[in-house]
């Protein structure tokens, strides 16, 4: 799980150091995955494994970036293209087109490349708390905006702030969602926990520090 991909100076200036990985470390991470024989997958590959017993490649890994920052396009996308690696960007759709966030045009370009998948991260980056009505609106509005733009056909979600809730899970199920990611640390993907899947938070360190 990544967020910003930006230089240390930019991260410091924007007070984002805890959410930022430098382009140099991101490139190093990709090189590590390549030399260690990992294959990048999309969420749908895990859904197919869970539901249809479609085998996963050896050493499968899912690269995810949260919040749809513009630096993902500027700094991460060229590196993904260089390696032919797949990544998933969890997108708060109401923030698209705002300063520092991706534009719909950038989303269309990356989505069209076949290398980047865009998942639901609510409309306003809303935590999975509050009334059912608010949560429903946050999830369904983002769902319809992504669908309108031809994105997220596989119905994949990540909880803003990483907090799952039973209410959110019920809403996601109602809208046909197949899986949801938290920020709970871990790398074991279990079908029975398909709406509370863990992730590994990446930082500015070598990938082997993160158990890979
Ligand atoms: Zn987020």
């Amino acid at each position: 799980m990544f967020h910003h991909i930006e230089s240390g100076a930019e991260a410091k200036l924007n007070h984002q150091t805890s959410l930022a990985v430098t382009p140099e470390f991101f490139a190093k991470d990709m090189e590590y995955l390549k030399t260690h024989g990992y294959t990048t997958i999309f969420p749908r590959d895990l859904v197919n494994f869970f539901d249809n017993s479609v085998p996963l490649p050896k050493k499968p890994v899912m690269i995810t970036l949260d919040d749809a920052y513009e630096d993902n396009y500027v700094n991460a996308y060229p590196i993904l293209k260089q390696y032919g690696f797949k990544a998933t960007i969890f997108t708060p759709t109401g923030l698209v087109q705002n300063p520092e966030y991706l534009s719909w045009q950038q989303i269309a370009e990356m989505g069209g490349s076949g290398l980047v998948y865009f998942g639901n991260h609510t409309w306003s980056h809303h935590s999975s708390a509050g009334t059912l009505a608010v949560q429903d609106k946050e999830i369904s509005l983002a769902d319809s905006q992504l669908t309108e733009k031809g994105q997220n056909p596989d119905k994949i979600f990540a909880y803003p702030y990483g907090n799952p809730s039973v209410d959110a899970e019920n809403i996601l199920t109602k809208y046909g969602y197949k899986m949801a990611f938290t920020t709970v640390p871990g790398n074991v993907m279990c079908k029975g926990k398909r709406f509370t899947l863990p992730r590994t938070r990446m930082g500015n360190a070598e990938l082997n520090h993160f158990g890979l």
Side-chain angles (χ1 to χ4, degrees), residues 3 66-67 121 125 160-161:
H3 290 80
D66 283 12
D67 304 344
H121 201 41
H125 201 268
Y161 309 102

Side-chain angles (χ1 to χ4, degrees), residues 1-3 19 65-69 90-92 121 125-126 158-162 183 199:
M1 173 182 61
F2 297 89
H3 290 80
L19 291 176
L65 300 111
D66 283 12
D67 304 344
Y69 296 116
F90 289 110
T91 308
H121 201 41
H125 201 268
H126 195 270
Y159 302 95
Y161 309 102
T183 58
R199 289 187 289 171

Side-chain angles (χ1 to χ4, degrees), residues 102-128:
L102 294 172
S103 67
W104 285 113
Q105 198 188 331
Q106 288 165 333
I107 289 173
E109 182 189 331
M110 287 192 278
S113 74
L115 293 179
V116 184
Y117 185 86
F118 290 89
N120 187 330
H121 201 41
T122 74
W123 179 70
S124 74
H125 201 268
H126 195 270
S127 81
S128 299

